[in-house]
C-alpha cells in the first residue's frame, strides 16, 4: 500500500511524497499469477525482492490479493 496504494492504483504515500515515481497501476499491467509471484520473489525495476520477508504461503496470498485488487480496478 505504501507504494502501489490501497487499491493498487499506483498512488501510495511514497508516490504522493515523490520519493518514488512511476509506480505502476495494477490496472495498466498485463499480469498473471506467475508474473506477480516472480516479482515478489526476485523483484523488478525499482521494486526489490520480498522473498526474505514472506513465507511461501504469504507470497501466494499476496499474489492472490494483487489479482483481486487488479480485478477491482478493471470493474
Amino acid at each position: 500500500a505504501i507504494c502501489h496504494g490501497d487499491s493498487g492504483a499506483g498512488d501510495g504515500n511514497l508516490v504522493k511524497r515523490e520519493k518514488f515515481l512511476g509506480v505502476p497501476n495494477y490496472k495498466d499491467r498485463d499480469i498473471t499469477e506467475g508474473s506477480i509471484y516472480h516479482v515478489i520473489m526476485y523483484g523488478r525495476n525499482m521494486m526489490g525482492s520480498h522473498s526474505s520477508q514472506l513465507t511461501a504461503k504469504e507470497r501466494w496470498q499476496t499474489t492472490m490479493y494483487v489479482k483481486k485488487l487488479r480485478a477491482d480496478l478493471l470493474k
Side-chain angles (χ1 to χ4, degrees):
I2 195 78
C3 294
H4 294 277
D6 290 336
S7 69
D11 59 353
N13 284 333
L14 292 179
V15 174
K16 290 176 184 173
R17 294 180 187 161
E18 297 182 354
K19 301 293 182 185
F20 290 104
L21 300 176
V23 173
N25 179 333
Y26 295 145
K27 180 180 176 182
D28 298 334
R29 308 288 297 224
D30 186 22
I31 54 179
T32 65
E33 288 177 17
S35 68
I36 296 166
Y37 191 89
H38 183 87
V39 171
I40 293 168
M41 277 296 295
Y42 302 106
R44 182 176 181 188
N45 299 326
M46 294 286 294
M47 182 176 159
S49 169
H50 286 73
S51 63
S52 65
Q53 292 97 344
L54 301 170
T55 66
K57 180 179 179 179
E58 291 169 333
R59 290 191 293 268
W60 282 113
Q61 288 172 331
T62 302
T63 297
M64 296 301 113
Y65 184 65
V66 168
K67 281 193 65 170
K68 180 197 175 307
L69 290 176
R70 183 171 189 270
D72 291 346
L73 288 169
L74 292 172
K75 290 181 183 177

